[in-house]
Amino acid sequence: MTSRRPARRFLAAAALALAADLACAAGPAAAATTTAATADGKERAIFAVSDDDAKKWNLTLGNIGNALEGLGADAADIELVVYGPGIAMLKKDSPVADKLAAAQQKGVHIVACQNSMRGYHLEQSDLAPGVGSVPSGVVELIRRQHAGYAYVRS
């Protein structure tokens, strides 16, 4: 007697793929029902950077700018979480310090992982003005996603 489990798994996977295709084909109107909007109507997104590579940072900050432009700065609640080696790019003399300040002026919340700050021997006073901190960058990502923030990977 042959097992029907592989066939059932295949059919379940096919049904999920079809549902995803239908959701994508439905277009923006259907997608709007699954966005991370808050009770006040703002779209919520969280970005994360763990690299100290200026190219990666420019890409992420560019993506944040695109999101703000597309959604409208007043209609978006965007947070940038930084941890690991990326923490060095939050320093006052960072090559992206001007872009960080510009993002903050548009309402982007930038937070540093305190675990990473300790690991890289950084104090809050070493960081660019306006940068906040959270106890753990990874935990912040998890909590924000559970709170309905869309995670955007750059």
Side-chain angles (χ1 to χ4, degrees):
M1 180 180 265
T2 61
S3 172
R4 293 182 183 232
R5 286 185 184 169
R8 286 184 183 158
R9 287 184 187 148
F10 173 78
L11 289 174
L16 287 173
L18 179 59
D21 280 348
L22 290 173
C24 289
T33 62
T34 60
T35 59
T38 61
D40 62 3
K42 288 189 175 187
E43 300 290 337
R44 300 184 299 180
I46 191 160
F47 292 74
V49 180
S50 60
D51 299 326
D52 66 351
D53 177 17
K55 287 181 184 179
K56 176 75 169 198
W57 272 87
N58 286 323
L59 172 66
T60 300
L61 292 169
N63 286 339
I64 289 172
N66 291 341
L68 290 170
E69 183 179 322
L71 297 170
D74 293 337
D77 181 6
I78 296 182
E79 183 173 332
L80 172 60
V81 178
V82 184
Y83 59 95
I87 206 82
M89 297 297 272
L90 292 179
K91 292 167 66 174
K92 292 175 183 174
D93 61 351
S94 163
V96 296
D98 291 342
K99 290 183 180 181
L100 293 173
Q104 288 173 320
Q105 288 177 352
K106 293 178 182 175
V108 176
H109 307 284
I110 302 172
V111 294
C113 170
Q114 291 173 357
N115 290 332
S116 297
M117 288 172 65
R118 277 191 300 280
Y120 288 89
H121 310 288
L122 294 174
E123 299 293 328
Q124 188 70 38
S125 60
D126 296 321
L127 304 181
V131 173
S133 65
V134 293
S136 168
V138 172
V139 171
E140 179 74 358
L141 285 171
I142 293 167
R143 289 189 174 149
R144 291 296 188 184
Q145 287 180 70
H146 283 287
Y149 279 66
Y151 175 63
V152 184
R153 182 171 180 246
S154 294

